[in-house]
Amino acid sequence: MILVVDLCWKKNSLSRPEFVDPVASALRKAGAEIKVLHYSELTSDRSSKQLYRDLLECDGAVLCGTAIQDNFYAVEMDKFSWIKDHNYRKPLLGICAGMQVIASAFGGKIIPRPAIGMEKVDIIKDTELLGEPRQIEGYHLHSYGATVPKGFHLVAGFYHKADAFVHERRPIYGLIFHPEVRNRWILQKFMELVPNH
Amino acid sequence: MKLGVLFSGGKDSIFACYKAMGGDIHQDEDRDGVIDINRISDGNIGTGKNTDKNTVICLITLISENEDSYMFHTPNISRTALAAEAMGLPLITWPTRGEKEEELEDLKDAIAEAVKRYGIEGVVTGAIESIYQAARVQKICRDIGIWCFNPIWQVDQVDYLKLLLSRGFHVIITGVFAYPFDESWIGTRLNEDKVKELERLQKRHQINPSGEGGELETFVLDGPIFHKRIEILRSRKSYDNYRGHLDIEEACLADKLVDESVDR
């Protein structure tokens, strides 16, 4: 089961159909079993066993993007401590806001980086998720981007302007562009990285 | 949050409006309230103030002189006033010559007028696939400093058409602009058989079943967010070489039909 995590400013917001449902739909169409939760419903607080079970039971997770005006996740970073938890060793994909959250959780920085629309993405490192180095186009919709945190490799773009990164040892990826728009093959590839999806 | 809907009278803008009003949103809604987001230390990240409850406060229509506008739906656009009245919402109409990129300044002015007149904090669009349209509206909203919502973005088009029918929207085809649509499509009501036909044309001719590629234009006569239905009194069809439209020459509001009424 793949957990699709809604990072929008509130549960069931008007942004969910735009940023969460297309990701869930693409993964479901690719054959994955999906569960959608808002980030506020997740915690690594062991006293809240019911919520933590979702993380223990999933086989992988995707952190979705948010509206360009919605950067609320950035002031709620304490809700994402589970990302670095040693008990969470499963594949993780962060999209846009999700990438920024992963970067911040691992000590990277969220930095101003406005972009809207289709832009070229230069893949410079061969990975299981994006494949061999080449140029593709991705849909960008963000005010902020992220630096590459320590312990991660740059996969696309530049260190100060990362389009994609991957953890050195764990299957944790971040993409600043939205794969659910024009690049659904990336979500299919991610699903293939998830055992028992 | 007070919202303005970019409105053409066609199915996509009306269904987006329906979703913005809370129709078809996931039902386990949490409590209403106000989130006042504290800006973090660099003073740059944050969303300002926002309320949980969405209210569609007005509709915004660009009246384009150019029937081949890149941004704006044109067939029967003058009938949006009647549709707005049927929905009980105020309408801002804004003229544009419909010339590429220049029309974006007109759209920006229209949205700015909605901010000034009604205090809208966000704009809702019926964009499904068009990055050209969606990205431009996103940029305008960012520049003005308001939110942008696209509640049917990337939706499966056939599933969406079925949902539209299941929710009780009465949609007619008012324009066809591509092979292999023949004259019989013009003025016809979208129903389950037509959706099946569109699905078949998608497989055979790669058309967008919802007409997102400009293949079809629609007009909505009734639906769950209408207080009155629209009745067409006089119309005229024109068609030539896979292009044609229904010109609604005269229409009025009428009481909703009992067998088509839908719970509000």
Side-chain angles (χ1 to χ4, degrees):
Chain A
M1 183 265 287
I2 297 178
L3 198 59
V4 176
V5 185
D6 177 354
L7 264 60
C8 298
W9 65 284
K10 60 163 275 195
K11 185 183 171 188
N12 292 331
S13 69
L14 189 55
S15 293
R16 173 175 162 164
E18 185 174 350
F19 296 99
V20 183
D21 293 350
V23 173
S25 172
L27 288 168
R28 202 177 281 120
K29 281 192 175 175
E33 185 190 343
I34 295 299
K35 182 169 186 174
V36 178
L37 285 177
H38 188 257
Y39 75 86
S40 61
E41 298 174 286
L42 292 171
T43 174
S44 57
D45 176 5
R46 285 170 185 280
S47 64
S48 180
K49 289 179 182 170
Q50 178 63 35
L51 296 178
Y52 194 55
R53 197 166 61 207
D54 293 315
L55 287 168
L56 291 175
E57 287 182 350
C58 76
D59 302 298
V62 180
L63 305 176
C64 299
T66 67
I68 201 162
Q69 299 83 355
D70 179 0
N71 303 298
F72 189 44
Y73 55 87
V75 293
E76 293 249 287
M77 280 306 300
D78 57 312
K79 299 275 173 62
F80 299 100
S81 57
W82 60 271
I83 291 174
K84 224 181 159 183
D85 192 321
H86 288 291
N87 288 315
Y88 187 85
R89 311 292 294 182
K90 299 157 186 172
L92 177 64
L93 172 63
I95 298 169
C96 197
M99 178 201 207
Q100 296 166 38
V101 163
I102 290 171
S104 184
F106 282 93
K109 288 181 180 170
I110 298 176
I111 54 171
R113 193 199 157 184
I116 296 175
M118 295 300 287
E119 289 194 357
K120 288 183 171 53
V121 174
D122 285 309
I123 300 170
I124 59 168
K125 179 179 172 56
D126 195 341
T127 58
E128 285 185 277
L129 186 69
L130 296 184
E132 61 190 24
R134 67 198 186 286
Q135 191 175 75
I136 63 172
E137 276 201 310
Y139 182 62
H140 293 249
L141 187 67
H142 46 86
S143 297
Y144 294 90
T147 61
V148 181
K150 194 174 175 187
F152 280 69
H153 294 299
L154 179 70
V155 174
F158 304 92
Y159 274 92
H160 62 283
K161 194 179 167 186
D163 284 337
F165 57 51
V166 63
H167 193 278
E168 284 175 353
R169 294 180 307 281
R170 293 168 56 185
I172 300 178
Y173 289 88
L175 305 174
I176 198 64
F177 60 96
H178 288 261
E180 71 275 20
V181 182
R182 303 287 190 271
N183 284 300
R184 291 186 172 193
W185 62 271
I186 297 173
L187 294 170
Q188 165 89 39
K189 278 280 179 195
F190 178 73
M191 192 193 76
E192 291 167 8
L193 298 179
V194 176
N196 309 316
H197 56 263
Chain B
M1 192 186 304
K2 291 179 182 175
L3 300 171
V5 177
L6 297 187
F7 188 66
S8 67
K11 61 179 171 40
D12 300 339
S13 61
I14 285 188
F15 197 74
C17 182
Y18 169 67
K19 292 202 73 148
M21 288 173 166
D24 216 57
I25 293 288
H26 304 274
Q27 292 304 305
D28 50 339
E29 198 72 38
D30 55 2
R31 63 179 171 75
D32 281 354
V34 176
I35 293 178
D36 195 350
I37 298 159
N38 296 316
R39 289 172 183 273
I40 63 171
S41 57
D42 71 3
N44 288 323
I45 297 178
T47 64
K49 196 166 83 175
N50 201 345
T51 57
D52 277 14
K53 191 172 174 60
N54 294 320
T55 306
V56 174
I57 209 93
C58 70
L59 306 173
I60 304 163
T61 295
L62 273 284
I63 307 281
S64 179
E65 291 173 15
N66 178 5
E67 66 177 28
D68 294 320
S69 165
Y70 284 88
M71 285 292 289
F72 308 116
H73 181 127
T74 54
N76 297 301
I77 197 74
S78 61
R79 297 293 165 197
T80 53
L82 196 62
E85 194 181 341
M87 294 163 69
L89 287 167
L91 174 72
I92 291 178
T93 54
W94 205 262
T96 177
R97 289 197 299 172
E99 291 179 4
K100 197 174 181 181
E101 302 305 334
E102 182 187 303
E103 62 188 355
L104 298 173
E105 285 303 312
D106 296 323
L107 176 60
K108 190 173 182 178
D109 291 344
I111 293 172
E113 178 64 21
V115 172
K116 183 178 158 193
R117 204 185 299 179
Y118 297 107
I120 65 165
E121 301 156 284
V123 157
V124 179
T125 90
I128 297 175
E129 284 285 343
S130 171
I131 288 173
Y132 180 90
Q133 291 179 341
R136 279 157 178 77
V137 177
Q138 290 277 6
K139 283 178 185 169
I140 287 170
C141 290
R142 180 193 61 188
D143 293 348
I144 292 177
I146 61 173
W147 290 60
C148 183
F149 297 102
N150 299 285
I152 51 174
W153 183 237
Q154 302 294 300
V155 73
D156 179 284
Q157 295 185 36
V158 171
D159 289 348
Y160 158 58
L161 292 177
K162 290 175 181 171
L163 184 66
L164 191 69
L165 296 180
S166 74
R167 296 297 182 266
F169 287 92
H170 182 159
V171 180
I172 58 167
I173 310 289
T174 49
V176 296
F177 304 96
Y179 178 84
F181 291 109
D182 62 26
E183 193 172 358
S184 71
W185 284 86
I186 300 170
T188 195
R189 180 173 179 172
L190 191 68
N191 57 21
E192 284 182 20
D193 287 343
K194 287 293 174 196
V195 173
K196 280 181 193 162
E197 180 70 4
L198 288 167
E199 194 172 7
R200 193 180 66 76
L201 294 176
Q202 179 186 32
K203 287 173 186 157
R204 183 179 289 186
H205 299 287
Q206 289 78 49
I207 65 126
N208 289 284
S210 74
E212 177 79 352
E215 301 95 329
L216 293 170
E217 295 288 359
T218 61
F219 194 73
V220 179
L221 300 179
D222 197 5
I225 54 175
F226 281 55
H227 302 293
K228 296 268 190 179
R229 66 184 173 88
I230 296 171
E231 188 171 309
I232 298 173
L233 301 174
R234 196 175 74 245
S235 63
R236 186 169 48 87
K237 282 185 190 179
S238 59
Y239 179 86
D240 182 46
N241 196 28
Y242 308 107
R243 284 178 69 89
H245 67 272
L246 181 80
D247 184 16
I248 300 173
E249 295 177 320
E250 191 180 352
C252 67
L253 296 186
D255 289 337
K256 289 168 78 80
L257 298 173
V258 174
D259 62 345
E260 288 189 347
S261 65
V262 177
D263 290 341
R264 300 262 170 90

